[in-house]
Amino acid sequence: MAGILTAIKLRESGITDFTVYEKADRFGGTWRENTYPGLSCDVPSHLYCYSFALNPGWSHVLSPGPEILAYFESVADRYGVAEHTRFGDEVVRCEFADGRWHLTTASGLEDEVDVVIAATGVLHHPRYPDIEGFDTFGGAVFHSARWDHSVSLRGVRLGVVGTGSTAVQIVAAVTDETAHLSLFQRTAQWIMPAPNPAYSDEELASFREPGALEKLHAELSELFDLFSGAVVDIHSSGFRFIEEACLKNLEENVHDPELRERLRPTYRAACKRLIVSEGFYDAIQRPHAELVTDAIERIEPGGVRTADGRLHELDVLVLATGFKVDAFVRPIAVTGRGGVRLDDAWAKRPEAYLAISVPEFPNFFMLNGPNGPVGNFSLIEVAELQLGYIMQLVDRLGPGGCREISATADALARFEAERIEATKNTVWSTGCNSWYLDDRGIPAAWPWPFKRFRQEMVAPDWEAYELIG
Ligand code: NAP
C-alpha cells in the first residue's frame, strides 16, 4: 500500500529515477499475505483507499480482503507502478557510505541511491506461540497469515488459537462448515457490532454522483478523528459511547449467561485493539462451537491438551496469534552514518522522530514507522500524510539544498519524552496486555488525537533536523 503510494507520488512530483523493491512476485502487502477465510478490513472501504483513487465500486461498507487486493493491484496498474518495480528480490542490506545508500538484494544485485523510503509495513512477520509440541501434531497446523488452502475445513474438527481481529474474522466465517470448532481464548475481547450488508444498486449508483465519494471520504475521516480523540481520552463522551456499544453487544447478543461471563473482558474497551465484527457472537454460540478458556498446556498428536487435563481432539489447528510488531524495516541490515547499525540504535526498542526519521540514518525515511498512529485507523491516510511530509524532506536535498537530512538525537528524545507522558491518558495504558505495549509496558503508539498528527505532517520543523552539506 505505502510503496505503491510512494511510486505514484514520486512520479507526480517529477521524480522518475527510482526503484520499488518488492520481495514478493506481486503487489498487495498485507492483503497479499493474508488470505484466511473471512479476511476483510474493519476500516470502512470508502476511507480505506487512496484519497486520489476513490472507488465507487466497493461492495460493502467493510469490503472483503480479495476486493481490497484487487483495488491495490488496479491502482498500481493504472499508474504504471510495475514499470518501476523489481519483483521477487528482497533487499537484505542498506548501508550509508560516502553520502549515499548502498543496497544489496538477496540475488546479489547492488544499487546506489540518494534516498531510501522504507514502506515495509507493520504487522508482517508472524508470531508463533511458545507452546510445547507443535511438531508432534498429527493434523495440519498453520499461522493465519500463512493459510494453507490445500486443507479443507469442511467437516473437520478445527482449533483456533487467539481471539484478536484475525481469529474473530476466521471464526465468524468458517464455523458453519466445520464439524466442531474449538476457540482457544486466553483473554476475552470487546467486540464492536458492525452490520455490514452489501451496498444496494441505488447506493452504488449514488457513489457515482459528482463529489459523492469525496464527501463520504471526508465524513469518514472526520468520524475516525472522533474515534482517535476518544481512545486517547478515556473521560470523553466518545469513549463512553464505544464502551457502551461493546457492552450492549455482549449483553444483548450472547444469550447463555455462563458463556457471556467467559466472553466478558475485565479491562476497558479499546485497551486492546478494538475488534469490529458482525458475526462472531453468532458463530461462537453455534451448538458445535466451543469457547475454551482453560489455558493451553501443550499440543499433542491428537489435538490440544488444556490445563484441566482435557484433550481437545482436532484435525486442523490455526494459530491466529499475531505478529512480531517491533520489526519494522528489519530484518534488512540497515547501517547508518559512521557504521551505526539500526539493530544497535534500536537495541532497546524501535524509535523514530515522528515515526519517520532516525538520528544518524540520513535520507532514510519510514512510512508507518514506530510509534506512529496505529490501531483502528486507515493506515492509508497515515501513509499519505507521512509521504507528503517526507517529500518536503526530500525536496531539501540536492543542488541548492543539503546532502544529508536526519532528525537530531535531541528532537527524538524530546518527542519520545512528550509522547510517553501523553500515553498515560490513553486507553492503552489502563491495564490490559496488548501488542500496542512495548517491553516497558508503554504504548508504542501515537497518543494524541489524529488532528495533531495532521498538523505535524503539514511541514517539517527544520529545527528538529540536522542538515549537512
Ligand atoms: P493479535 O491481535 O495480536 O491477537 C493474537 C491473539 O493470539 C490474542 O488473542 C492472543 O491472546 C493470542 N495468543 C498469542 N499467543 C498465545 C498463546 N501462546 N496462547 C494462547 N493465545 C495466544 O493478532 P491478530 O488477531 O492477527 O491481529 C493483529 C492486528 O492486525 C490487529 O490488532 C489489527 O491491528 C490488525 N488486523 C486488522 C484487521 C482489520 O480488519 N483491519 C483484521 C485482522 C488484523 P492475548 O490477548 O491473551 O495476548
Side-chain angles (χ1 to χ4, degrees):
M1 173 279 284
I4 294 168
L5 167 72
T6 306
I8 294 170
K9 291 292 168 188
L10 285 174
R11 277 245 299 250
E12 221 172 78
S13 73
I15 300 174
T16 52
D17 184 8
F18 65 89
T19 305
V20 178
Y21 287 94
E22 169 55 67
K23 67 180 173 177
D25 57 6
R26 63 192 282 199
F27 292 122
T30 201
W31 305 101
R32 177 197 62 227
E33 301 289 296
N34 286 278
T35 59
Y36 60 78
L39 174 73
S40 80
C41 185
D42 59 17
V43 175
S45 301
H46 285 288
L47 179 63
Y48 193 80
C49 55
Y50 300 115
S51 61
F52 55 87
L54 302 175
N55 171 23
W58 291 119
S59 65
H60 291 72
V61 176
L62 313 173
S63 296
E67 200 175 317
I68 300 169
L69 176 62
Y71 167 79
F72 284 121
E73 292 193 313
S74 77
V75 174
D77 193 43
R78 201 183 324 154
Y79 286 86
V81 179
E83 287 162 36
H84 291 272
T85 306
R86 185 179 169 87
F87 287 102
D89 200 5
E90 183 171 0
V91 174
V92 292
R93 211 162 41 240
C94 285
E95 276 176 28
F96 190 74
D98 306 324
R100 300 195 90 194
W101 283 98
H102 300 256
L103 271 55
T104 310
T105 69
S107 73
L109 178 102
E110 299 200 341
D111 195 0
E112 212 179 287
V113 299
D114 299 310
V115 176
V116 173
I117 296 179
T120 43
V122 190
L123 301 164
H124 179 56
H125 302 284
R127 189 162 56 96
Y128 288 84
D130 189 14
I131 303 174
E132 189 192 317
F134 271 120
D135 40 354
T136 67
F137 184 55
V141 53
F142 46 86
H143 189 276
S144 56
R146 297 285 179 273
W147 197 271
D148 183 346
H149 290 276
S150 70
V151 176
S152 166
L153 298 186
R154 192 150 298 283
V156 306
R157 296 165 301 176
L158 174 68
V160 176
V161 182
T163 49
S165 302
T166 301
V168 162
Q169 290 184 345
I170 293 171
V171 168
V174 307
T175 299
D176 281 351
E177 65 182 286
T178 64
H180 189 270
L181 179 126
S182 308
L183 175 63
F184 296 92
Q185 170 184 286
R186 187 165 67 181
T187 313
Q189 292 272 9
W190 288 111
I191 313 273
M192 186 86 174
N196 190 32
Y199 282 124
S200 65
D201 289 346
E202 292 73 38
E203 284 171 311
L204 289 171
S206 75
F207 298 144
R208 295 188 182 275
E209 300 288 329
L213 289 178
E214 289 75 9
K215 185 164 171 277
L216 191 52
H217 187 271
E219 282 167 4
L220 288 167
S221 176
E222 211 168 294
L223 192 71
F224 273 67
D225 279 10
L226 287 178
F227 178 82
S228 69
V231 295
V232 295
D233 177 5
I234 53 171
H235 305 294
S236 62
S237 58
F239 182 73
R240 269 199 308 280
F241 170 82
I242 293 169
E243 221 163 39
E244 280 163 16
C246 291
L247 185 61
K248 187 163 178 274
N249 190 23
L250 176 72
E251 300 292 356
E252 290 184 357
N253 295 317
V254 181
H255 308 299
D256 171 13
E258 193 262 342
L259 179 65
R260 196 187 308 136
E261 289 322 301
R262 292 198 296 132
L263 284 169
R264 188 187 300 276
T266 53
Y267 53 87
R268 312 289 304 261
C271 180
K272 282 172 176 289
R273 202 270 193 184
L274 191 63
I275 294 180
V276 176
S277 175
E278 185 184 21
F280 172 69
Y281 282 153
D282 277 352
I284 198 65
Q285 292 177 89
R286 294 273 197 273
H288 66 292
E290 182 181 1
L291 181 76
V292 181
T293 47
D294 291 296
I296 296 175
E297 200 156 85
R298 62 180 174 273
I299 296 173
E300 298 182 3
V304 169
R305 178 85 60 186
T306 43
D308 57 346
R310 183 173 156 203
L311 177 67
H312 301 262
E313 291 183 50
L314 302 172
D315 305 303
V316 181
L317 181 59
V318 171
L319 308 169
T321 47
F323 298 87
K324 294 176 189 159
V325 295
D326 60 355
F328 294 98
V329 65
R330 296 176 290 181
I332 300 175
V334 184
T335 308
R337 200 156 39 206
V340 53
R341 297 176 334 132
L342 192 63
D343 263 342
D344 293 333
W346 285 357
K348 286 191 182 144
R349 64 198 68 86
E351 287 177 347
Y353 174 65
L354 292 176
I356 284 176
S357 174
V358 183
E360 303 304 330
F361 290 79
N363 311 348
F364 179 92
F365 308 120
M366 284 175 287
L367 291 167
N368 290 311
N371 306 325
V374 288
N376 297 74
F377 293 117
S378 166
L379 283 187
I380 303 183
E381 203 177 4
V382 173
E384 283 192 24
L385 290 164
Q386 288 175 326
L387 189 65
Y389 179 102
I390 290 171
M391 295 295 281
Q392 297 178 60
L393 299 176
V394 172
D395 268 356
R396 281 295 284 260
L397 294 166
C402 62
R403 282 185 292 110
E404 298 178 15
I405 298 184
S406 53
T408 65
D410 258 10
L412 176 58
R414 267 185 281 113
F415 171 71
E416 274 299 283
E418 202 192 338
R419 192 188 67 78
I420 288 167
E421 186 55 32
T423 62
K424 293 177 184 160
N425 302 322
T426 67
V427 69
W428 310 306
S429 297
T430 54
C432 71
N433 188 19
S434 80
W435 66 258
Y436 293 147
L437 302 181
D438 68 15
D439 58 305
R440 301 163 293 185
I442 294 174
W446 184 263
W448 300 287
F450 200 69
K451 68 172 187 279
R452 170 157 173 177
F453 182 72
R454 280 181 209 288
Q455 281 156 4
E456 292 278 7
M457 291 297 105
V458 169
D461 167 8
W462 294 107
E463 296 291 303
Y465 286 91
E466 183 181 17
L467 310 179
I468 296 182

